[in-house]
């Protein structure tokens, strides 16, 4: 069965290269390209233009990747959103996840991994490569094969930190919001890393979202 894809990127050469690459994959075909989120919204006025997957860049004029992902999540929640960007900062990745992206890749990705990501989005509903949150993905992939983990108790300050961690705020800005020192914020982070068996902020947020410890706004 063929699945439809739309490429949203303001760099024409990159968009065309992605289209040519995806059209070689057995299960996928590109419906069209859009140069920003605003153009995508216009195309969506025609039901025939609504795909299974939207591949979206982050830095775009008029309507960027964050805004595009939010609009898609609110108006077409069944569409799988795959972010493809040159940005690998934790805050950017977390923000895209909060906006509704179910996968995240860097633009230097190998064609084989891109196809793998598209397959995972269609088959499992999400795709995050090992470099984002290795331990979290191992936990999710074996979720049905292992007994449920014991319930972990969080105090109110840890819950507050988790909610702020799922934003684009830096640790220093989180400390200001929580009216404490950056060192105290780091202690909350380290405590949660230990409780969940994680090592990265992205992994922490993904785990919290997956297990209902925090909710998307």
């Amino acid at each position: 069965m063929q699945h439809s894809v739309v490429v949203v990127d303001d760099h024409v050469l990159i968009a065309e290269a992605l289209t040519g690459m995806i059209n070689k994959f057995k299960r996928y075909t590109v419906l069209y390209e859009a140069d920003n989120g605003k153009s995508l919204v216009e195309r969506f006025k025609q039901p025939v233009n609504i795909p299974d997957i939207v591949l979206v860049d982050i830095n775009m004029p008029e309507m960027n990747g964050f805004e595009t992902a939010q609009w898609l999540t609110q108006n077409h929640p069944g569409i799988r959103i795959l972010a493809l960007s040159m940005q690998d900062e934790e805050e950017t990745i977390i923000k895209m996840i909060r906006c509704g992206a179910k996968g995240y890749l860097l633009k230097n990705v190998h064609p084989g991994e891109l196809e793998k990501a598209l397959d995972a989005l269609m088959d499992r509903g999400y795709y995050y490569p090992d470099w984002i949150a290795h331990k979290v993905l191992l936990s999710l992939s074996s979720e049905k094969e292992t007994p449920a983990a014991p319930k972990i108790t969080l105090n109110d300050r840890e819950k507050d930190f988790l909610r702020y961690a799922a934003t684009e705020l830096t640790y220093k800005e989180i400390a200001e919001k929580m009216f404490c020192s950056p060192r105290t914020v780091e202690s909350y982070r380290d405590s949660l890393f230990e409780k969940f068996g994680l090592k990265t902020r992205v992994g922490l947020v993904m785990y919290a979202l997956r297990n209902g410890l925090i909710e998307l706004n």
Side-chain angles (χ1 to χ4, degrees):
M1 178 181 177
Q2 286 262 309
H3 299 291
S4 55
V5 180
V6 166
V7 177
V8 187
D9 196 311
D10 63 319
H11 295 94
V12 177
L13 291 178
I14 292 178
E16 290 181 351
L18 286 169
T19 294
M21 186 186 305
I22 294 169
N23 281 336
K24 292 179 181 178
F25 299 156
K26 185 176 180 180
R27 297 176 62 189
Y28 306 95
T29 183
V30 175
L31 288 181
Y32 56 89
E33 301 159 14
D35 57 5
N36 57 57
K38 185 176 179 181
S39 297
L40 181 70
V41 171
E42 286 297 315
R43 296 293 293 265
F44 267 43
K45 290 179 179 179
Q46 298 294 327
V48 71
N49 288 331
I50 298 177
D52 298 311
I53 298 174
V54 171
L55 194 64
V56 61
D57 188 20
I58 293 178
N59 290 329
M60 298 183 295
E62 296 192 64
M63 189 170 174
N64 62 33
F66 302 120
E67 296 165 334
T68 302
Q70 281 184 320
W71 184 88
L72 287 169
T73 300
Q74 292 168 3
N75 294 278
H76 298 275
I79 291 177
R80 280 81 162 177
I81 303 168
L82 176 61
L84 190 61
S85 175
M86 292 302 296
Q87 300 183 45
D88 60 358
E89 295 85 359
E90 287 187 350
E91 290 80 7
T92 300
I93 297 168
I94 290 170
K95 188 173 181 179
M96 278 303 292
I97 293 172
R98 283 179 57 82
C99 288
K102 300 303 182 184
Y104 197 106
L105 292 175
L106 297 179
K107 284 190 174 181
N108 62 358
V109 65
H110 187 277
E113 185 172 2
L114 176 57
E115 184 174 17
K116 179 181 176 182
L118 296 176
D119 286 343
L121 283 172
M122 293 308 305
D123 298 338
R124 296 202 307 267
Y126 64 89
Y127 180 79
Y128 298 103
D130 292 347
W131 65 269
I132 290 185
H134 180 66
K135 284 193 174 183
V136 174
L137 292 184
L138 287 178
S139 173
L140 294 180
S141 64
S142 60
E143 188 173 59
K144 296 180 180 179
E145 302 174 1
T146 57
K151 183 175 178 61
I152 297 174
T153 302
L154 305 180
N155 61 44
D156 290 339
R157 295 294 278 175
E158 288 174 332
K159 291 177 182 176
D160 288 340
F161 169 76
L162 264 181
R163 285 190 286 270
Y164 285 124
T167 70
E168 63 268 37
L169 294 175
T170 64
Y171 287 125
K172 181 179 179 181
E173 291 169 335
I174 291 174
E176 293 173 357
K177 292 282 187 181
M178 296 183 68
F179 303 101
C180 64
S181 69
R183 180 171 295 181
T184 300
V185 162
E186 291 175 0
S187 72
Y188 295 141
R189 177 201 62 194
D190 293 341
S191 174
L192 291 172
F193 281 172
E194 183 175 353
K195 287 183 177 181
F196 298 145
L198 302 172
K199 295 182 179 180
T200 69
R201 177 174 173 175
V202 171
L204 186 63
V205 172
M206 288 173 62
Y207 184 96
L209 289 170
R210 179 73 175 178
N211 289 278
L213 300 176
I214 56 176
E215 296 180 354
L216 297 175
N217 294 327

